[in-house]
Amino acid sequence: MKREVIDPNPLARLQIGTHPSTGNFPSVDASEKLARELGVSLNVHLLESKADLTAGQMDALRRANALHPGLVANHVIQTTDADLDELAAAGVGVAHNPLSNMRLASGVIRLPEMKKRSMKVGLGLDGGTNDTSDMFNVMRAAVGLQRATRTDPAVYPTTADVLRMATLGGAEALGMDKEIGSLTPGKRADLQLVDAQAVNFAPKVDWVNQLVFNTQPANVSWVFVDGRALKREGRVVGIDTAKVVADAQLAADRLKKLLPQ
């Protein structure tokens, strides 16, 4: 699959996913070995909910020798200081999914403590359908969660911090910061052009704050990935969006018939 489907596509990236627990250790161990064999990252949901605290997740990862820079851990909410120290020392990348965490009542990630440990944290969706796949919403939630729970408007992350987490921070968490994440000579030409003349941007006060707090997906006029336009003048290129919507609805209707009422 990697050789024939993933490797020929310059925009594709394979990861091996598993759910770490002591009860699932054979799968965790096999997944880590497969990830090393293929030279790809291992991706896990780690300490997302209070139920994960009794699953022995950290112990399973230790036994599998999976705590290293090739590991991408999603959520990482129910943590002790010792957990954060261990993850930071191992160079584990973290995917912060604030919209999912709020929707599922999972808790609030300890971003300020991660910052003090220089951990690599990017922003994610954890799926996307129910959270609108809107990374501007994700940035706003990442700022708002920390301010609301700590009652401190100056707490980490600031708007500049979450803008970095949404770009270079995500690339660092994935171990891809030499290829993507910033407009740097030698990296892939990945960029968005935002129409700042839209009425929801008026008046111009602070561009970083407004990018985070004001931007809607409709304000994105152009998107380039690896130098190729995927969105042009507000329209997605080469995709029949009406068919995508219809296919999604058809799949949902079929699934609904299969599920118990």
Side-chain angles (χ1 to χ4, degrees), residues 6 8 23 30 82 95 122 156 160 163 174 186 195 203 219 241:
I6 303 297
Y156 179 87
L163 186 58
L174 294 171
D195 178 10
N219 297 132
T241 53

Side-chain angles (χ1 to χ4, degrees), residues 23-70:
N24 190 40
F25 179 73
S27 177
V28 178
D29 190 47
S31 296
E32 167 62 14
K33 289 176 179 176
L34 179 59
R36 286 180 180 267
E37 178 185 339
L38 296 177
V40 301
S41 295
L42 181 69
N43 188 300
V44 300
H45 283 219
L46 181 63
L47 298 172
E48 177 179 4
S49 67
K50 290 184 178 180
D52 290 331
L53 293 172
T54 59
Q57 290 194 312
M58 290 293 289
D59 184 53
L61 292 172
R62 288 188 203 101
R63 289 171 56 195
N65 296 314
L67 293 171
H68 55 72

Side-chain angles (χ1 to χ4, degrees), residues 85-245:
D85 288 342
E86 186 172 9
L87 293 169
V92 173
V94 175
H96 175 32
N97 307 276
L99 290 175
S100 172
N101 298 158
M102 289 191 292
R103 175 162 50 85
L104 299 178
S106 299
V108 181
I109 194 172
R110 301 173 65 196
L111 283 181
E113 289 78 8
M114 291 181 176
K115 172 65 174 176
K116 291 177 182 177
R117 291 166 172 80
S118 299
M119 296 179 69
K120 298 175 181 177
V121 182
L123 295 180
L125 288 162
D126 191 26
T129 302
N130 292 323
D131 297 324
T132 73
S133 299
D134 180 351
M135 286 298 290
F136 298 106
N137 250 344
V138 173
M139 287 193 286
R140 287 189 282 273
V143 172
L145 264 180
Q146 299 301 320
R147 292 184 182 183
T149 54
R150 305 198 184 217
T151 60
D152 179 4
V155 70
Y156 179 87
T158 65
T159 51
D161 294 324
V162 295
L163 186 58
R164 187 187 188 283
M165 289 167 63
T167 52
L168 187 58
E172 289 172 343
L174 294 171
M176 298 181 67
D177 49 300
K178 303 301 182 185
E179 306 168 46
I180 61 173
S182 62
L183 298 180
T184 303
K187 291 189 180 183
R188 297 179 183 178
D190 296 348
L191 66 151
Q192 296 182 11
L193 302 185
V194 174
D195 178 10
Q197 300 303 312
V199 67
N200 57 302
F201 273 89
K204 184 262 180 182
V205 179
D206 178 284
W207 284 128
V208 173
N209 279 340
Q210 287 176 268
L211 273 173
V212 173
F213 287 134
N214 293 51
T215 310
Q216 305 294 327
N219 297 132
V220 179
S221 54
W222 289 75
V223 175
F224 294 88
V225 176
D226 201 15
R228 183 165 64 92
L230 300 185
K231 188 176 186 181
R232 177 185 294 119
E233 297 179 344
R235 299 185 66 85
V236 178
V237 176
I239 299 294
D240 184 346
T241 53
K243 185 177 185 303
V244 171
V245 172

